[in-house]
Amino acid sequence: MLNYTIRRLIGAIPTLFIILAVSFFMVRMAPGGPFDKERKVPAEVEAKLIQQYHLDEPLPQQFARYVGGLAQGDFGPSFKYKDFTVSELIWQGFPTSLGLGLSAIAIALVIGVTLGIWSALRQNSWIDYISVGTAMLGIAVPNFVIAPIMTLVFGLMLNWLPVGGWGKPSNWILPIIALAIPQIAAFTRLTRGSMLEILRSNFVRTARAKGLPEVITLTRHAIRAALMPVVSYMGPAIANIVTGSVIVEQIFSIPGIGRYFVQGAINRDYTLVLGVTILFGALVIICNLIADICYGLLDPKVRYD
């Protein structure tokens, strides 16, 4: 397992480099620049700024300079937030985004797995129909549609919950639910399909034929095996829910990393966009690795040779 983990981490370096290279040249080729504003900067001032940030150099030279700084842990200065480096901005917003994403995935996992198991055990009942129908609706409607609807209904019409900020626990409810609903639907479908297949498998029939109580058959044999697809999906789900919180953070005015990413893209803040992109890429790789390791721990037949 240790050798497998080390190999995966080493293999992630070329992947991150490709992500970095593609993102670097794409953001530089986009129309506009970091100093294009409604109020035009004098030509001599703009020339000095471009020279100060080495934007007058050829793109390959700029890329080599950026990679060299990145190897030393330096994400560079922010073009928009003059008093901060990109590293400082990332570490200001990332804990909030991480807390939001992990809270949403925890709620989605508990509710989704429970509904999936319950639905499979009551197949073709009204519980099954409601669970499957709700899951399909949750998958079909994205969170950038769910969030404004929840803001309108629970925040403005009913006035039950605040629709912005992050200071109080009541501020967390709507954004966490908005992020969790699509994942609840995904976990419900995965768990239900896997559980139905496992309940018809030979080893469950054998356990029942031996006279094992139904509770032991389910908890010790069926549920553990049914969670394997869920574990495989967990890695991408965590990465997607943390990185996908960008829109939800904007809607609910949450001071997370998504705000900086959106503002960086709008203002052509090259270094800020690249820093967040690299962080998200590393997060996806790490989450997938953790999911693979957990998969091996749950299934003794899996070997990482």
Side-chain angles (χ1 to χ4, degrees):
M1 183 70 73
L2 180 61
N3 291 334
Y4 171 78
T5 304
I6 294 174
R7 290 199 306 270
R8 283 286 298 270
L9 291 175
I10 294 174
I13 296 176
T15 303
L16 282 175
F17 183 80
I18 294 173
I19 293 173
L20 169 61
V22 172
S23 303
F24 181 90
F25 290 103
M26 284 185 65
V27 74
R28 295 302 175 97
M29 289 186 295
F35 307 117
D36 295 342
K37 300 179 180 179
E38 294 181 2
R39 184 177 179 180
K40 184 64 177 176
V41 178
E44 58 274 11
V45 175
E46 184 175 356
K48 289 182 179 179
L49 287 172
I50 291 175
Q51 184 178 8
Q52 178 184 350
Y53 289 107
H54 306 285
L55 297 178
D56 56 339
E57 299 175 352
L59 279 181
Q61 188 174 345
Q62 292 183 44
F63 180 68
R65 183 186 296 276
Y66 184 78
V67 172
L70 196 62
Q72 301 175 16
D74 181 14
F75 285 88
S78 171
F79 295 153
K80 176 176 174 58
Y81 303 94
K82 299 288 192 301
D83 298 328
F84 297 92
T85 65
V86 173
S87 299
E88 291 172 342
L89 294 174
I90 287 176
W91 297 123
Q92 281 182 12
F94 183 64
T96 301
S97 297
L98 185 64
L100 174 65
L102 291 181
S103 299
I105 202 71
I107 292 174
L109 182 63
V110 172
I111 297 177
V113 169
T114 302
L115 286 177
I117 293 173
W118 197 13
S119 179
L121 295 177
R122 300 289 186 272
Q123 186 181 13
N124 297 327
S125 67
W126 64 270
I127 296 175
D128 186 26
Y129 293 143
I130 291 177
S131 299
V132 173
T134 305
M136 294 299 295
L137 183 62
I139 293 174
V141 182
N143 53 28
F144 60 81
V145 174
I146 295 173
I149 293 175
M150 294 178 63
T151 300
L152 178 64
V153 175
F154 297 105
L156 301 180
M157 296 175 60
L158 300 177
N159 200 26
W160 288 355
L161 295 167
V163 297
W166 191 247
K168 301 177 182 178
S170 58
N171 296 119
W172 307 351
I173 297 175
L174 288 181
I176 287 176
I177 293 176
L179 272 178
I181 286 177
Q183 298 302 327
I184 290 174
F187 283 130
T188 300
R189 287 193 62 195
L190 275 174
T191 307
R192 179 185 180 274
S194 179
M195 192 70 180
L196 287 175
E197 183 180 353
I198 294 299
L199 289 175
R200 299 186 181 98
S201 61
N202 291 331
F203 71 91
V204 171
R205 292 196 188 99
T206 303
R208 287 170 172 168
K210 288 182 178 180
L212 283 179
E214 188 68 11
V215 174
I216 296 178
T217 301
L218 292 176
T219 56
R220 188 175 298 178
H221 300 286
I223 293 178
R224 181 175 179 178
L227 289 179
M228 300 301 291
V230 176
V231 172
S232 298
Y233 178 72
M234 276 289 293
I238 293 174
N240 289 338
I241 206 169
V242 173
T243 57
S245 64
V246 171
I247 298 174
V248 173
E249 289 177 12
Q250 287 290 108
I251 293 174
F252 291 102
S253 301
I254 297 173
I257 197 172
R259 176 183 62 180
Y260 295 125
F261 184 76
V262 173
Q263 291 300 319
I266 293 174
N267 294 284
R268 300 296 186 269
D269 195 340
Y270 300 147
T271 51
L272 183 55
V273 172
L274 287 173
V276 177
T277 302
I278 293 169
L279 177 65
F280 284 167
L283 184 63
V284 170
I285 292 172
I286 292 173
C287 288
N288 281 315
L289 174 59
I290 293 174
D292 289 344
I293 293 174
C294 292
Y295 192 93
L297 294 176
L298 282 175
D299 189 353
K301 295 184 294 183
V302 176
R303 292 292 180 267
Y304 298 109
D305 297 329

